[in-house]
Amino acid sequence: LIQSRSFKFIVGGGEDGALTEFVVHEEAIAQLSPRLRSLMQGGLHESQTACAVWEDVSKETFKRFAQFAYTGDYSIPEGEKRLRKKKGGKGSKKGKKGTKSFGETNGSLGEASELQEIIEPPPSGEVISPTSAGFTSLGVFAEEPQMAEDDFLSSLKQREKYPEFAHVKLAANFNDINFVDALAPRDNYATTTEPSTSFNPKLNYSPILLAHTALYFLADYHQVDSLKHLSLYKLHKTLRTFIIDDMNIPDVIDLAKFAYHKHEGYVGHELRNVICQFMAVNALVLTFDEEFMELLGEGGQFVKDFIRFEVQRER
């Protein structure tokens, strides 16, 4: 792998508004799938020039993609502190200031210089910590945030507002969906890239959800099944801990719009099932939100899928 030729990827033109160049070892990417090997070594223009242009892939998504190619896993964005919604705001549109655009998510993998740190192999016998490799512990909070008592009581009151919500079940329980069996071995940075097992009500989860989804689409298009399964596993595990309320509804609306509008006509059925089943479980709360109702009013494939899961609910 280290002795393979250098290959340049130019990414981000359509997503970031500016192109960014990354140079990687050809074999690190080519080994991920037959389709990528054909792109890089199959006699196409890209293989002859040792350069590929992916304008529809943001630089942050490509950093995680390259990290996965070299280590078998990828770091998760830290997210950002949620801005409180002003009282009297209409629907859930207030409080979305600061949310990243669909192609760009918060990340801390750094620029190309930090990416090079992934490439250099450790000296014999030396164990590299995630921090020394240029990655922070994004997947795990420094201290697992436990829900404060006032936040917990607030969540209980939220459930009391929607008493029917606690009794909603689906024919297939969302929490019982299993993606673990499909995962490839993850020996590198496994403890620093795992989604948190606790929910932080003060965190904006939109960058985190979109990061997993963007990688899913990239992996699905280039037939990288191992990354596809891993990103789906992380998305599902994050949603399992997600406690929905009127403050964080925009996070899941961003997720649905990213999956269905930005990638219209190209939504993997596994991803679609995870998103719509989660929203069907939380349908009662979502229908009180103006922006969600506007999303339903737009019609399209999302509405069809949402209704399909909604009618499967066991009451």
Side-chain angles (χ1 to χ4, degrees):
L1 184 150
I2 299 299
Q3 295 180 342
S4 63
R5 68 170 177 169
S6 297
F7 197 99
K8 181 188 297 183
F9 282 91
I10 303 175
V11 305
E15 292 293 330
D16 307 318
L19 295 171
T20 303
E21 295 183 358
F22 292 93
V23 178
V24 298
H25 291 103
E26 179 182 72
E27 187 60 26
I29 306 298
Q31 67 179 346
L32 294 177
S33 75
R35 182 164 185 165
L36 286 170
R37 187 171 295 280
S38 177
L39 172 74
M40 305 175 78
Q41 300 175 353
L44 301 175
H45 174 73
E46 289 84 353
S47 66
Q48 295 174 8
T49 60
C51 179
V53 180
W54 289 357
E55 291 194 35
D56 58 344
V57 177
S58 74
K59 68 176 183 180
E60 296 298 336
T61 296
F62 187 83
K63 288 177 186 178
R64 295 185 181 93
F65 177 73
Q67 183 188 3
F68 174 81
Y70 281 99
T71 70
D73 211 334
Y74 65 89
S75 297
I76 302 172
E78 292 179 305
E80 54 193 27
K81 187 176 180 180
R82 181 176 304 283
L83 298 178
R84 300 296 297 177
K85 181 170 60 175
K86 293 181 179 179
K87 292 184 178 181
K90 189 176 182 180
S92 62
K93 294 182 180 179
K94 300 279 186 181
K96 290 188 68 179
K97 183 179 179 182
T99 302
K100 295 291 182 182
S101 61
F102 289 144
E104 178 70 27
T105 60
N106 281 356
S108 60
L109 296 185
E111 303 301 330
S113 61
E114 294 184 27
L115 186 60
Q116 293 297 322
E117 297 184 26
I118 314 174
I119 298 174
E120 298 299 329
S124 178
E126 179 180 346
V127 178
I128 290 186
S129 68
T131 304
S132 67
F135 305 117
T136 56
S137 302
L138 301 179
V140 179
F141 295 95
E143 294 183 1
E144 290 291 330
Q146 301 298 322
M147 187 176 294
E149 182 177 357
D150 56 342
D151 293 325
F152 177 73
L153 293 176
S154 176
S155 69
L156 291 181
K157 293 178 180 178
Q158 185 73 16
R159 298 299 173 87
E160 291 173 0
K161 289 173 59 179
Y162 312 107
E164 184 184 358
F165 176 71
H167 304 290
V168 172
K169 294 183 179 179
L170 280 170
N173 191 305
F174 182 79
N175 290 339
D176 291 339
I177 301 175
N178 180 22
F179 295 109
V180 176
D181 294 341
L183 296 182
R186 300 161 60 204
D187 296 332
N188 299 299
Y189 312 117
T191 59
T192 67
T193 56
E194 193 71 13
S196 176
T197 56
S198 59
F199 175 70
N200 184 351
K202 298 180 181 179
L203 191 68
N204 178 2
Y205 276 78
S206 183
I208 299 172
L209 299 175
L210 299 191
H212 299 316
T213 307
L215 278 172
Y216 175 91
F217 281 121
L218 182 59
D220 192 33
Y221 181 77
H222 291 288
Q223 300 174 357
V224 186
D225 289 342
S226 53
L227 177 56
K228 181 179 170 181
H229 294 148
L230 179 60
S231 59
L232 199 60
Y233 159 77
K234 291 189 179 186
L235 175 64
H236 174 254
K237 187 170 182 178
T238 303
L239 290 175
R240 283 183 61 183
T241 65
F242 194 88
I243 302 175
I244 198 166
D245 59 31
D246 58 348
M247 285 297 300
N248 58 36
I249 285 178
D251 297 357
V252 295
I253 292 178
D254 282 351
L255 174 63
K257 287 182 176 180
F258 181 76
Y260 281 88
H261 292 185
K262 184 174 176 59
H263 297 271
E264 187 173 1
Y266 184 73
V267 181
H269 69 276
E270 302 103 331
L271 177 70
R272 187 165 56 197
N273 288 348
V274 168
I275 294 173
C276 285
Q277 186 165 346
F278 173 79
M279 299 186 91
V281 169
N282 294 281
L284 188 63
V285 178
L286 288 169
T287 53
F288 283 87
D289 183 82
E290 179 182 335
E291 188 176 3
F292 178 75
M293 296 308 294
E294 290 176 357
L295 180 62
L296 291 182
E298 296 174 7
Q301 188 61 47
F302 168 72
V303 175
K304 295 178 182 179
D305 293 337
F306 175 76
I307 292 176
R308 178 167 58 89
F309 277 102
E310 174 63 12
V311 297
Q312 293 178 18
R313 292 198 303 170
E314 296 179 354
R315 301 178 187 277

